[in-house]
Amino acid sequence: MAETVSNILEKKSEEDVLQGYEISSSSEITVPPKLIDQVIGQENAVEVIRKAATQRRHVMMIGNPGTGKSMLAKAMAELLPKEELKDILVYPNLEDSNNPIIRTVAAGRGKQIVAAHKAEAAKRKQMRNTLMLLLVFGIIGYALITGQWLMGIIAAAFIFMALQYARPREEAMIPKLLVSNEPDAVAPFIDGTGSHAGALLGDVRHDPFQSGGLETPAHDRVEAGAIHRSNGGVLFIDEINTLTPHSQQNLLTALQEGEFPITGQSERSSGAMVRTEDVPCRFIMVAAGNMDAMQGMHPALRSRIRGYGYEVYMQDTMPDTPENRKKFVRFIAQEIKNDGKIPHFDRTAIEEVIREGQRRSNRKGHLTLKLRDMGGLIRVAGDIARQEGAEMTTAEHVLKAKTSARSIEQQISDEYIGRIRDYDLSVVTGTQVGRVNGLAVMGSDSGSILPIVAEVTPSQAANGSVIATGLLKEIAKESIQNVSAILKKFTGKDIRNMDVHVQFIGTYSGVEGDSASISVATAVISAIEGIPVKQDVAMTGSLSVRGDVLPIGGVTYKIEAAAKAGIKTVIIPKANAGDVLIEDRYQSMVEIVPVGHIEEVLEVALVPQNREVFLDKLKKLAAEPVKALDPSS
Ligand code: ADP
């Protein structure tokens, strides 16, 4: 069986990934000018965005980071039908200085108006200065002629102060440009992600000098928010659930009303006394987030978006077809063009990136669509090529980039593997009773060894229990429940009379769980029967109540982690055999054994002498229907 996986791997690494696509480098690819045409693999989302743009509807996008949500929102702004964009100005209110006046004018006019006011103020200032000079000279002349010096000096000082006092009032009358647009520009795209209330809804700055001629006039302290700057365009907010409920409530009001006054957001600031007239904010909302975002979102806001717009789910992967590989090549060309500094990729480099795209998809016959990370890899590879003064980026640069551009999770996982080695927590040789090397995934792209130990003792109480902590408790209970029937029939030992202790060694938070269930089951069987487990074997797989080994995620990363730690044999679910895309350097280091049933797991993992009798009985049992017993009942 191990051969099947090796064969798959060999075939994959020999395969010409660009077959039939005659290009020698990424420089031959033309990048479409429109952003919407640059999006790859999200056909459904693209269609929704096109529709929503023509009808000016809101959109909610759910999906993983780096799959193109903000790119699509930006693309939507480009697609919006041309409507007249506006400039927004704020004027002082002479009757109530705390209620500044809002005016909208055609795009581009705002700047002219402010400039005209400034010119006017400058002209007055000039006149005033001239007048002042004339008066001062006049007084000096008068003093010279009449000899009344004291009177002259007093008069000059008085005039000087009076004119000084008048100066700020002139400047205070100049309106402030809140939102400015170019006359023929595309609709604005504003990213309001992570904004605090002030940045989102607008704010009025605090004025430390609130009187005495030094104060800044109220209208001059008014600042537009993202909702106002996106007037006539798109407001994009990622991780929408992280906005405070108060901000979400205000956002909803802004959406409904199409205008929202600006007031100081911090209560104790002098800005809180100021409240402008209504400021227009007719924007299209593109809200984004992962599945959690739906829960954290204000229900009224969500239903508003749903009722007046579309919801779309972003894909994580796309089928690995020749057509999609071509799109992937175009993606590489796009990233190179956008970066503008890195050299083009030759054919070998393109092939290597596509192979990495297959690996990262974590799924048989698919390419990843977590393209922000792929873009990162492309840039690092390009930077390495540039540093070396290479004309083209090659496969070698991509491979180097893969080792240096590791995600935080990968770096932590490597550190962790190193550390458990230091403390000798990892045992990868010899045999032990009740100890199994499980495998887990950390983050989304790195694996690690997860040793599990089990100990069985006669129960002190009437009923035995499964003793484990936290996350492990559920997994342990479930796996033990699933093997309890098999165990009872075979051994005559009812685990309901025993306490089963299970522990993950050196565990840390964030370990993904149910794929450990065959490991837990193996550890428990080993402990009950006293049969040692080979420690150079690691395993991953989920367990059904019938003892079938079910598929799990992240198989490639887990195998690579096992190989790195010095494991010789890795047991994986048969259904995952096609997902294995480990790097060449690991291929000779481990033997991969796909299995379909717990019995096969035991066959590989348990030490031969003692296991035969056990397995013979087990085989007989497997033919009969089994019923699970609940250890906790
Ligand atoms: P998200 O908003 O989903 O986190 P982004 O839209 O910010 O992701 O994506 C970051 C970058 O990754 C984009 O600027 C683009 O270069 C690249 N990218 C992501 N998804 C796609 C895609 N579907 N097609 C082309 N490029 C993409």
Side-chain angles (χ1 to χ4, degrees):
M1 263 186 287
E3 287 233 333
T4 47
V5 173
S6 311
N7 288 348
I8 295 170
L9 287 174
E10 251 163 49
K11 259 189 258 148
K12 275 191 177 141
S13 61
E14 278 168 14
E15 191 193 5
D16 173 13
V17 289
L18 287 178
Q19 69 205 140
Y21 193 21
E22 292 305 326
I23 47 152
S24 57
S25 99
S26 57
S27 61
E28 295 161 24
I29 314 283
T30 30
V31 173
K34 279 217 152 152
L35 203 52
I36 191 81
D37 300 320
Q38 295 184 9
V39 176
I40 69 165
Q42 307 286 1
E43 282 76 17
N44 182 28
V46 166
E47 203 187 310
V48 167
I49 289 290
R50 282 187 195 279
K51 239 191 280 173
T54 42
Q55 298 164 0
R56 302 190 76 86
R57 296 265 190 246
H58 306 301
V59 181
M60 172 93 193
M61 282 191 235
I62 297 296
N64 277 317
T67 49
K69 297 188 290 293
S70 83
M71 186 180 183
L72 276 163
K74 218 179 280 171
M76 186 173 180
E78 276 183 14
L79 289 176
L80 282 182
K82 280 247 160 13
E83 73 163 38
E84 254 177 62
L85 292 178
K86 298 274 189 242
D87 283 352
I88 304 175
L89 292 155
V90 54
Y91 285 81
N93 184 344
L94 295 181
E95 276 153 32
D96 176 2
S97 64
N98 280 335
N99 185 211
I101 296 164
I102 299 293
R103 292 284 174 270
T104 47
V105 293
R109 277 285 291 147
K111 267 187 202 146
Q112 295 169 359
I113 292 172
V114 172
H117 272 88
K118 278 192 177 151
E120 177 70 15
K123 213 161 76 190
R124 283 200 198 163
K125 190 173 167 187
Q126 179 92 39
M127 268 172 58
R128 196 188 56 220
N129 287 348
T130 319
L131 188 66
M132 190 162 72
L133 274 178
L134 280 176
L135 279 167
V136 170
F137 280 125
I139 289 161
I140 292 172
Y142 172 78
L144 274 177
I145 295 162
T146 62
Q148 292 186 359
W149 277 101
L150 188 64
M151 273 301 287
I153 289 170
I154 291 171
F158 184 73
I159 292 166
F160 183 77
M161 281 187 31
L163 288 172
Q164 275 303 314
Y165 187 73
R167 191 174 70 173
R169 285 199 53 81
E170 276 160 24
E171 277 166 11
M173 296 309 289
I174 301 175
K176 177 175 175 178
L177 188 54
L178 273 186
V179 175
S180 156
N181 282 299
E182 297 299 325
D184 279 319
V186 290
F189 163 81
I190 303 292
D191 188 344
T193 305
S195 297
H196 55 86
L200 187 66
L201 307 165
D203 207 348
V204 181
R205 273 181 293 123
H206 178 65
D207 181 13
F209 311 108
Q210 288 165 39
S211 62
L214 286 168
E215 72 266 33
T216 313
H219 81 283
D220 227 7
R221 292 185 277 128
V222 173
E223 309 279 347
I227 58 169
H228 307 113
R229 286 185 289 123
S230 55
N231 185 36
V234 172
L235 174 64
F236 173 71
I237 301 185
D238 203 354
E239 294 169 25
I240 179 91
N241 51 323
T242 60
L243 285 184
T244 61
H246 180 69
S247 288
Q248 293 194 42
Q249 182 69 55
N250 283 324
L251 197 58
L252 177 63
T253 312
L255 266 180
Q256 284 167 337
E257 305 294 325
E259 47 190 26
F260 198 83
I262 299 176
T263 180
Q265 297 289 340
S266 87
E267 277 168 24
R268 272 175 295 167
S269 142
S270 61
M273 298 187 314
V274 178
R275 185 187 179 85
T276 66
E277 294 181 343
D278 284 335
V279 186
C281 60
R282 268 171 282 278
F283 55 87
I284 291 182
M285 167 106 186
V286 179
N290 53 19
M291 281 311 262
D292 295 346
M294 312 273 259
Q295 269 105 49
M297 209 174 156
H298 195 299
L301 181 59
R302 171 145 186 239
S303 85
R304 175 82 192 178
I305 297 178
R306 190 195 260 168
Y308 293 83
Y310 297 93
E311 287 186 316
V312 45
Y313 183 73
M314 303 292 288
Q315 300 296 325
D316 277 349
T317 62
M318 60 178 174
D320 184 9
T321 60
E323 197 191 329
N324 282 343
R325 283 188 195 178
K326 269 192 187 174
K327 288 187 189 159
F328 219 83
V329 178
R330 200 191 72 215
F331 162 72
I332 299 173
Q334 281 168 196
E335 294 294 307
I336 295 169
K337 181 165 180 237
N338 289 343
D339 184 85
K341 292 190 291 285
I342 58 177
H344 273 287
F345 279 39
D346 74 1
R347 200 177 162 93
T348 63
I350 293 174
E351 286 178 337
E352 201 51 53
V353 173
I354 291 180
R355 252 181 235 127
E356 185 63 13
Q358 294 172 327
R359 268 166 43 79
R360 291 194 183 180
S361 76
N362 238 322
R363 202 173 153 196
K364 186 155 57 182
H366 279 74
L367 289 164
T368 184
L369 283 175
K370 289 186 187 158
L371 293 177
R372 182 191 292 146
D373 295 349
M374 288 307 290
L377 178 72
I378 291 167
R379 279 183 289 279
V380 174
D383 284 344
I384 294 174
R386 200 158 57 113
Q387 267 165 19
E388 290 180 4
E391 257 176 42
M392 283 263 172
T393 310
T394 64
E396 208 181 308
H397 299 128
V398 178
L399 289 172
K400 272 190 201 160
K402 272 181 9 184
T403 44
S404 61
R406 291 174 308 158
S407 71
I408 295 290
E409 283 90 356
Q410 275 169 319
Q411 294 178 32
I412 295 174
S413 152
D414 286 355
E415 163 83 19
Y416 175 72
I417 289 176
R419 200 172 320 155
I420 59 175
R421 273 223 191 116
D422 289 349
Y423 291 114
D424 222 13
L425 290 174
S426 77
V427 180
V428 293
T429 52
T431 64
Q432 277 192 34
V433 173
R435 185 187 189 285
V436 169
N437 281 318
L439 293 168
V441 172
M442 243 185 112
S444 59
D445 62 355
S446 73
S448 73
I449 295 251
L450 185 67
I452 293 167
V453 287
E455 185 72 62
V456 181
T457 54
S459 177
Q460 303 298 319
N463 274 334
S465 52
V466 175
I467 298 147
T469 47
L471 170 72
L472 182 59
K473 193 163 190 144
E474 291 310 309
I475 306 161
K477 263 199 184 148
E478 204 177 293
S479 346
I480 292 163
Q481 197 171 325
N482 290 358
V483 289
S484 62
I486 302 175
L487 272 172
K488 182 169 182 237
K489 276 202 174 179
F490 160 62
T491 58
K493 293 174 193 163
D494 190 342
I495 59 167
R496 283 181 297 177
N497 302 328
M498 304 175 204
D499 283 341
V500 181
H501 304 251
V502 186
Q503 191 190 3
F504 281 0
I505 300 185
T507 186
Y508 48 92
S509 59
V511 168
E512 169 249 13
D514 76 316
S515 64
S517 59
I518 63 165
S519 321
V520 174
T522 307
V524 173
I525 291 175
S526 161
I528 293 179
E529 293 301 316
I531 308 171
V533 180
K534 292 189 213 160
Q535 298 300 308
D536 59 356
V537 174
M539 60 181 76
T540 176
S542 193
L543 194 61
S544 83
V545 73
R546 293 292 311 254
D548 296 320
V549 178
L550 306 176
I552 43 82
V555 69
T556 298
Y557 302 118
K558 289 176 179 170
I559 297 173
E560 289 181 351
K564 258 189 263 175
I567 294 285
K568 295 283 176 284
T569 308
V570 181
I571 300 173
I572 63 164
K574 204 179 249 164
N576 286 118
D579 301 332
V580 180
L581 283 165
I582 60 172
E583 282 175 24
D584 295 349
R585 62 196 156 116
Y586 297 122
Q587 284 186 22
S588 56
M589 293 163 71
V590 283
E591 186 193 10
I592 301 160
V593 186
V595 298
H597 198 269
I598 182 76
E599 189 189 309
E600 295 167 66
V601 176
L602 299 174
E603 210 165 308
V604 178
L606 298 184
V607 172
Q609 303 89 296
N610 318 20
R611 81 174 176 211
E612 298 307 329
V613 193
F614 177 73
L615 285 175
D616 275 353
K617 286 190 191 171
L618 203 59
K619 270 186 192 133
K620 274 185 225 137
L621 282 170
E624 299 170 23
V626 287
K627 237 175 39 208
L629 297 173
D630 185 352
S632 58
S633 64

